[in-house]
Amino acid sequence: DDHHRRRVRLSPRAVYRIGRLVASALEAAFMKVPLGASGPLQVVHRDVKPSNILMDGPVPKLTDFGLAFVEGNNASLTRSGEMIGTICYMSPEQASATDEPNPQWDIYSVGATLYELLTGQPPFVAETMASVLMQHLQDEPPRVTSLAIDCPIWLDVVVTRLLEKDPEDRYYDALAVQVALQE
């Protein structure tokens, strides 16, 4: 269970490198063009979180696309009002389950993941999952730099933007996240 596992803090340098690689994997997924298709189909991971990033080799890998939404392929998994994902890392719009899945869900989850890797805790911590869910919908998390004094201001700003409540205020796509996470 992700909520009770041991939390780990990584160096800011390791975190932004991991963030770039995860964003690169998401960009590749977002741009997947299946054989016979006229253009890219939207793929949304829906469960980006630290435990779905394998870090046992030189290059971290985003894993577990088991909850992924593929445009046109899993309507039964995407009914409005149905919440899919891990609460500690899900975007407000994913938590409210009112919109079709879209890449902005994953952009927010990258922010929540980087936040935890930098601080050792998810952006929101509460006694119950319902309380965490409400915080994602209503509250601003503490700044990364208030919990990780070694975090550069620029990286705190990137993570804060990834965690914006309004998807329009987040980075436009995973490529923009990669660019923002350049050294």
Side-chain angles (χ1 to χ4, degrees):
D1 173 276
D2 283 304
H3 187 64
H4 297 292
R5 68 183 170 75
R6 189 173 146 263
R7 305 284 180 202
V8 177
R9 273 192 75 229
L10 300 177
S11 74
R13 167 167 259 153
V15 171
Y16 66 75
R17 287 182 174 164
I18 289 166
R20 271 200 321 262
L21 290 165
V22 168
S24 177
L26 290 173
E27 184 68 15
F30 297 164
M31 299 305 292
K32 188 75 174 157
V33 182
L35 287 175
S38 59
L41 290 179
Q42 193 172 69
V43 176
V44 182
H45 189 284
R46 295 199 291 190
D47 204 24
V48 176
K49 59 185 176 182
S51 64
N52 282 342
I53 301 170
L54 291 181
M55 294 189 254
D56 58 352
V59 178
K61 293 176 179 60
L62 182 61
T63 64
D64 192 0
F65 279 76
L67 295 179
F69 166 83
V70 180
E71 184 179 51
N73 279 356
N74 41 0
S76 65
L77 290 177
T78 59
R79 290 187 292 266
S80 285
E82 197 170 3
M83 190 170 43
I84 293 176
T86 304
I87 290 174
C88 288
Y89 310 98
M90 70 175 47
S91 69
E93 62 275 20
Q94 184 177 359
S96 62
T98 55
D99 296 335
E100 275 289 295
N102 68 72
Q104 284 297 314
W105 290 16
D106 289 345
I107 300 294
Y108 184 96
S109 297
V110 168
T113 296
L114 298 183
Y115 187 101
E116 181 174 324
L117 294 175
L118 286 163
T119 66
Q121 69 182 44
F124 300 108
V125 180
E127 291 293 316
T128 67
M129 286 292 117
S131 296
V132 171
L133 191 62
M134 289 310 296
Q135 289 177 324
H136 276 288
L137 293 168
Q138 300 173 348
D139 299 342
E140 297 301 322
R143 294 299 295 241
V144 170
T145 50
S146 71
L147 300 169
I149 59 171
D150 61 335
C151 180
I153 298 293
W154 72 266
L155 186 52
D156 184 19
V157 169
V158 169
V159 172
T160 299
R161 183 165 174 196
L162 289 165
L163 290 171
E164 288 289 345
K165 301 289 182 220
D166 184 343
E168 302 266 326
D169 294 334
R170 292 181 211 138
Y171 291 98
Y172 175 73
D173 60 16
L175 184 58
V177 176
Q178 290 175 66
V179 171
L181 290 170
Q182 294 300 320
E183 293 181 62

